[in-house]
């Protein structure tokens, strides 16, 4: 783990507030003064406190962003995780009002027995709604239903000066479309209203499709865009030649009324809870330790190859719970720790549909040629959206997970720079929740100067003194 340069802080605030916090990937960490408010008044007081001491405030939800998005070295970290009350629930309309620290897990557990499921969820249920809105997360259904922001009816945002702004598509629409996805730089969400999706069963019908190459995977996606509700592809990063990009696609659809013989049972929260045991015998909480011996090149080549060949035996469809399908990563809590002290970075690139095959083939070949093979690859389908700091395009994303060690760190960042350039040349985009390697130049080239100028203008209007900042913000928006 790389210690922040400011581990030796001046001491304007109580020393017992100082904590080292890290990004989820474990490659970046920082010492900050951490405050955990429980009320909006607390938030306002903390903003004032920081201002009076000449410090900046970095917002943090559940800390599930991979890199430095929720770190603020040497300054304040405003951790919203204790503002975690569900403020209202309408089971007729499927509308829920929450405080920002409410997790996606709390949302689905509260709503599912009434026949509702969050319209958009990430690969883990442990993100907060505030942090998810600030990154405008996408799910495995992004091409169909858009990002989380498309399912937020309204929110309240406290600005650095303490004023609370209420935003929706009709009230302050510009701020609505910029604060969602605005990575906590315009204000702090203090409440959000979500519109959930009606479901008639706690089960999904899942179709596994084994694909021998990246081209076949993309074709499998395109064929299922209409019938499927969710699509996700696992890519074997070790496969080469004609098999490059081979893997497994999972297509899933909701069950219509009448298809589940016992919806009351499948819609119970307890039925959806992931098992604390793996294979019925192994406590899930310790499973990451058993994965550790495999998290090297030889081991991961073996795991990827075995997964591909075993998958070929499962050609029949099956039913899975919403949680089992959506939150695959949560089956093994803390799995990222299996990678060792260096942690991991994820490189997720978004490119237009007609360029995806060529760009992603080049990315995989390049990683292999550099001797830095991704241990995990995931393909998703997206559509563009109306948010200012959008990461989506009408196309595909490929997320590649790389193990970081002291020895490979320099080479890995150099590879990421090459990958970033490929994406920019293809007119693609990046996702700040996963980023660790972008520079101001690469970020500006991907988002475009016009969007950046609009964002900067809003930042000046909402936060003229630059009170809100994070390590990610300083990395991509360095002071002139
Ligand atoms: C295993 C795993 C799988 C994932 N899968 C996906 C996926 O499929 N799709 C996807 O889109 N993402 C995915 N992610 C990324 C994750 O959804 C995002 O990083 C999300 O933002 C994390 O939410 P959080 O509450 O942990 O926020 P944090 O990481 O704590 O913060 C994220 C950002 O939100 C800001 N912020 C936090 N709270 C507030 C607030 N109240 N008001 C304003 N700004 C705030 C922070 O300053 C920061 O910039 C995954 C992450 C993990 C670990």
């Amino acid at each position: 783990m790389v210690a922040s340069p400011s581990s030796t802080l001046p001491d304007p605030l109580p020393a017992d507030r100082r904590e080292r916090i890290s990004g989820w990937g474990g490659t970046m960490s920082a010492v900050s003064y951490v405050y955990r408010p429980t009320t909006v008044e607390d938030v306002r007081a903390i903003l004032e406190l920081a201002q009076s001491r000449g410090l900046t405030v970095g917002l943090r939800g559940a800390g599930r962003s991979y890199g430095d998005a929720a770190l603020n070295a040497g300054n304040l970290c405003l951790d919203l995780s204790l503002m975690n009350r569900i403020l209202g629930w309408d089971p007729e309309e499927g509308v829920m009002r929450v405080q920002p620290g409410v997790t996606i897990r709390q949302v689905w557990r509260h709503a599912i027995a009434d026949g509702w499921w969050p319209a958009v969820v990430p690969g883990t249920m442990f993100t907060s709604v505030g942090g998810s809105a600030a990154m405008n997360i996408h799910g495995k259904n992004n091409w169909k239903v858009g990002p989380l922001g498309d399912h937020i009816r309204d929110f309240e945002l406290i600005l650095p000066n303490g004023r609370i702004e209420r935003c929706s598509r009709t009230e302050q629409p510009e701020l609505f479309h910029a604060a969602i996805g605005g990575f906590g730089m315009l204000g702090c969400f203090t409440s959000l209203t979500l519109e959930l999706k009606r479901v008639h069963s706690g089960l999904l019908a899942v179709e596994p499709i084994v694909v021998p190459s990246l081209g076949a995977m993309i074709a499998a996606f395109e064929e299922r865009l209409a019938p499927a509700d969710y699509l996700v592809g696992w890519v074997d990063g070790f496969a080469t030649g004609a098999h490059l990009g081979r893997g497994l696609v999972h297509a899933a659809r909701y069950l219509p009324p009448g298809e589940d013989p016992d919806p009351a049972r499948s819609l119970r929260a307890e039925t959806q809870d992931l098992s604390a045991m793996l294979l019925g015998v192994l406590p899930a909480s310790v499973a990451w330790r058993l994965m550790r011996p495999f998290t090297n090149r030889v081991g991961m080549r073996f795991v990827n190859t075995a997964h591909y060949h075993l998958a070929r035996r499962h050609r029949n469809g099956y039913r899975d719970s919403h949680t089992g399908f959506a939150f695959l990563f949560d089956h093994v809590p803390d799995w990222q720790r299996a990678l060792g002290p260096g942690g991991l970075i994820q490189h997720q690139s978004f490119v237009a549909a007609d360029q995806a095959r060529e760009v992603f083939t080049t990315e995989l070949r390049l990683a292999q040629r550099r001797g830095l093979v991704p241990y995990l690859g995931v393909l998703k389908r997206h559509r563009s959206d109306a948010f200012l700091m959008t990461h989506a395009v009408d196309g595909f994303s490929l997320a590649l997970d790389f193990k970081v060690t002291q020895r490979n760190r320099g080479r890995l960042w150099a590879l990421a720079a090459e990958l970033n350039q490929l994406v920019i040349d293809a007119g693609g985009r990046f996702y700040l929740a996963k980023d660790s390697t972008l520079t101001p130049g690469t970020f500006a080239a991907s988002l475009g100067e016009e969007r950046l100028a609009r964002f900067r203008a809003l930042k000046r209007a909402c936060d003229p003194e630059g009170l809100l900042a994070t390590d990610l913000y300083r990395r991509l928006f360095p002071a002139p």
Side-chain angles (χ1 to χ4, degrees):
M1 205 177 271
V2 177
S4 79
S6 43
S7 312
T8 48
L9 293 171
D11 240 348
L13 292 171
D16 62 2
R17 290 281 177 187
R18 285 174 53 162
E19 277 180 41
R20 177 168 290 283
I21 44 180
S22 66
W24 185 84
T27 57
M28 291 164 155
S29 74
V31 175
S32 296
Y33 294 97
V34 181
Y35 286 78
R36 296 187 173 86
T38 54
T39 65
V40 177
E41 277 320 305
D42 289 350
V43 173
R44 191 177 276 120
I46 295 162
L47 292 170
E48 276 170 18
L49 174 71
Q51 206 148 26
S52 71
R53 305 295 168 99
L55 295 172
T56 62
V57 176
L59 306 176
R60 185 173 174 92
R64 256 51 183 194
S65 294
Y66 277 53
D68 49 1
L71 302 180
N72 193 19
N75 286 273
L76 259 82
C77 168
L78 207 166
D79 176 334
L80 280 307
S81 56
L82 297 184
M83 287 181 68
N84 59 358
R85 278 189 307 123
I86 293 174
L87 301 170
W89 170 233
D90 179 346
E92 299 301 315
E93 297 291 322
V95 174
M96 189 181 289
R97 201 165 150 254
V98 299
Q99 288 188 322
V102 163
T103 60
I104 298 290
R105 178 175 188 270
Q106 283 177 272
V107 174
W108 72 253
R109 283 197 111 257
H110 198 84
I112 194 159
D114 294 322
W116 299 93
W117 177 255
V120 172
V121 298
T124 171
M125 64 175 99
F126 298 111
T127 66
S128 72
V129 174
S132 301
M135 287 302 185
N136 204 9
I137 60 159
H138 58 263
K140 300 173 183 65
N141 52 359
N142 188 246
W143 90 95
K144 203 147 212 175
V145 306
L148 178 67
D150 280 350
H151 308 274
I152 295 177
R153 183 174 282 187
D154 54 52
F155 59 76
E156 286 180 336
L157 188 77
I158 185 164
L159 299 186
N161 66 8
R163 204 173 69 228
I164 293 188
E165 301 286 355
R166 195 183 147 81
C167 302
S168 68
R169 277 171 195 79
T170 49
E171 241 176 303
Q172 309 220 54
E174 193 187 12
L175 189 52
F176 180 85
H177 288 98
I180 294 176
F183 60 111
M185 287 303 107
L186 301 179
C188 174
F189 298 116
T190 52
S191 72
L192 304 101
T193 309
L194 304 176
E195 293 166 350
L196 278 69
K197 154 93 185 136
R198 169 62 89 191
V199 289
H200 303 284
S201 165
L203 297 172
L204 294 168
V206 184
E207 178 200 8
I209 310 120
V210 177
V211 285
S213 67
L214 186 65
M217 183 173 291
I218 288 172
F221 267 69
E222 296 289 12
E223 280 161 24
R224 289 165 180 82
L225 292 182
D229 292 308
Y230 297 97
L231 283 167
V232 63
W234 161 75
V235 176
D236 174 1
F238 287 87
T240 55
H243 300 296
L244 192 94
R246 73 180 181 187
L248 180 61
V249 175
H250 282 108
R253 62 171 177 83
Y254 297 113
L255 301 190
E259 216 175 298
D260 180 350
D262 193 359
R265 184 183 176 282
S266 67
L267 286 168
R268 272 207 298 270
E270 297 71 29
T271 312
Q272 294 284 331
D273 280 331
L274 296 178
S275 171
M277 304 295 274
L278 289 182
L279 307 170
V281 287
L282 178 71
S285 56
V286 301
W288 67 268
R289 291 179 195 277
L290 303 180
M291 288 164 59
R292 207 167 209 176
F294 291 93
T295 58
N296 52 57
R297 212 179 143 128
V298 176
M300 290 313 293
R301 179 189 290 276
F302 170 76
V303 168
N304 274 269
T305 306
H307 184 45
Y308 179 73
H309 288 292
L310 287 174
R312 295 207 303 184
R313 300 190 323 185
H314 297 287
R315 286 170 193 269
N316 298 331
Y318 58 91
R319 290 192 174 169
D320 200 354
S321 62
H322 289 285
T323 52
F325 183 81
F327 307 125
L328 193 64
F329 292 113
D330 293 338
H331 284 282
V332 180
D334 295 330
W335 62 267
Q336 81 282 14
R337 294 176 68 185
L339 291 162
L344 82 154
I345 59 167
Q346 186 177 100
H347 187 275
Q348 186 171 14
S349 33
F350 296 72
V351 297
D354 60 354
Q355 306 217 42
R357 183 177 169 174
E358 194 184 326
V359 174
F360 297 160
T361 298
T362 312
E363 286 192 6
L364 288 169
R365 282 208 187 113
L366 194 61
Q368 292 174 352
R369 221 179 301 138
R370 299 283 179 264
L372 293 160
V373 183
Y375 287 180
L376 176 68
V378 174
L379 190 81
K380 288 189 205 135
R381 185 72 164 84
H382 302 272
R383 74 177 191 203
S384 49
D385 57 55
F387 295 90
L388 179 63
M389 302 301 275
T390 182
H391 57 272
V393 296
D394 181 5
F396 288 87
S397 73
L398 179 65
L400 302 174
D401 283 10
F402 295 96
K403 175 176 175 167
V404 182
T405 64
Q406 242 174 2
R407 274 187 58 205
N408 79 3
R409 197 178 170 99
R411 285 189 302 126
L412 194 48
W413 259 249
L415 169 66
E418 289 185 279
L419 299 178
N420 291 345
Q421 194 56 50
L422 286 172
V423 176
I424 289 167
D425 291 346
R429 295 231 168 92
F430 304 102
Y431 181 26
L432 296 181
K434 304 287 181 72
D435 175 59
S436 303
T437 65
L438 288 175
T439 61
T442 44
F443 183 57
S446 66
L447 198 65
E449 286 300 340
E450 195 251 324
R451 278 179 193 271
L452 272 185
R454 279 165 60 201
F455 179 73
R456 283 202 175 94
L458 275 167
K459 175 80 176 162
R460 278 194 300 276
C462 294
D463 184 17
E465 289 170 29
L467 187 68
L468 296 174
T470 56
D471 290 359
L472 171 72
Y473 180 67
R474 279 185 288 273
R475 174 159 62 86
L476 299 184
F477 293 81

